[in-house]
Amino acid sequence: LPSDVEHVKIRVEVYDVGGNRGERVKSIEVGDGTPPEIVKVKVWGSKGRLKFEVYVIDNRGGEVEVWVTLWDSRGRFRNVTLERVEGSRGHFRGELDVGGEVRYAVWASDGSGNVNSTVEKEVEVEEGIHNVVVVAVVMVLIAGVVFFYYMRRGGRLAEE
């Protein structure tokens, strides 16, 4: 049976040795066997952020979960769930901090447990400056300005 058929009518006829005939017609529900289709995957990254935008269609229009598995240049594995774009049915987005060469695959699962994935791909993400480095640089600059001001005043903090 095609996987998109929801209801099937089955008719059974039985005959016994005496020539008697019996018949029964029953309608049954057939489970979903088709995984969601991953229609479009858009990936881009810069400054230490990798962003995903994914479009998925389910043959029954049900709930779909979408996630990304990725391996970064340090060999770390991550599993990141993408969020559904508000007001959409099959549009998902997500982003994460990562840098260097990254291998990833996109996965989608429907309410019946059918799973689909893309082939694994690679992308290079420009390393970003982390907030700790930025704060450290700013603190050194502030300390330098204070020291310069202090030395200009002859090593005195206040007028005597």
Side-chain angles (χ1 to χ4, degrees), residues 59-125:
N59 65 320
R60 298 230 174 142
E63 288 296 313
V64 177
E65 183 180 351
V66 178
W67 68 96
V68 175
T69 55
L70 62 90
W71 299 263
D72 66 18
S73 56
R74 295 182 186 137
R76 293 180 299 188
F77 172 80
R78 293 198 219 173
N79 202 3
V80 180
T81 300
L82 303 183
E83 299 293 324
R84 182 187 316 276
V85 173
E86 192 173 330
S88 77
R89 225 184 155 82
H91 184 189
F92 295 82
R93 284 188 185 143
E95 62 182 74
L96 64 149
D97 291 324
V98 67
E101 190 175 289
V102 177
R103 293 186 344 247
Y104 70 91
V106 177
W107 297 77
S109 173
D110 66 16
S112 297
N114 301 304
V115 179
N116 195 3
S117 70
T118 62
V119 296
E120 189 177 292
K121 295 189 177 180
E122 285 188 17
V123 65
E124 183 77 25
V125 181

Side-chain angles (χ1 to χ4, degrees), residues 2-155:
S3 60
D4 60 345
V5 173
E6 290 187 31
H7 297 281
V8 176
K9 277 192 176 183
I10 297 178
R11 183 173 149 217
V12 177
E13 289 182 29
V14 292
Y15 299 90
D16 65 14
V17 290
N20 299 309
R21 180 182 170 279
E23 176 182 315
R24 174 113 191 205
V25 176
K26 181 83 173 165
S27 184
I28 63 169
E29 187 172 329
V30 178
D32 179 12
T34 303
E37 180 184 357
I38 302 171
V39 179
K40 182 178 181 182
V41 176
K42 186 176 172 188
V43 180
W44 69 100
S46 69
K47 298 179 183 170
R49 301 287 294 167
L50 185 60
K51 298 180 182 186
F52 291 88
E53 190 164 346
V54 178
Y55 294 88
V56 176
I57 297 174
D58 184 47
N59 65 320
R60 298 230 174 142
E63 288 296 313
V64 177
E65 183 180 351
V66 178
W67 68 96
V68 175
T69 55
L70 62 90
W71 299 263
D72 66 18
S73 56
R74 295 182 186 137
R76 293 180 299 188
F77 172 80
R78 293 198 219 173
N79 202 3
V80 180
T81 300
L82 303 183
E83 299 293 324
R84 182 187 316 276
V85 173
E86 192 173 330
S88 77
R89 225 184 155 82
H91 184 189
F92 295 82
R93 284 188 185 143
E95 62 182 74
L96 64 149
D97 291 324
V98 67
E101 190 175 289
V102 177
R103 293 186 344 247
Y104 70 91
V106 177
W107 297 77
S109 173
D110 66 16
S112 297
N114 301 304
V115 179
N116 195 3
S117 70
T118 62
V119 296
E120 189 177 292
K121 295 189 177 180
E122 285 188 17
V123 65
E124 183 77 25
V125 181
E126 174 187 317
E127 298 279 349
I129 298 176
H130 296 286
N131 290 341
V132 174
V133 174
V134 172
V135 169
V137 168
V138 168
M139 293 301 289
V140 168
L141 289 174
I142 290 172
V145 168
V146 169
F147 180 74
F148 178 75
Y149 179 75
Y150 174 75
M151 293 306 290
R152 238 182 119 163
R153 295 188 58 88

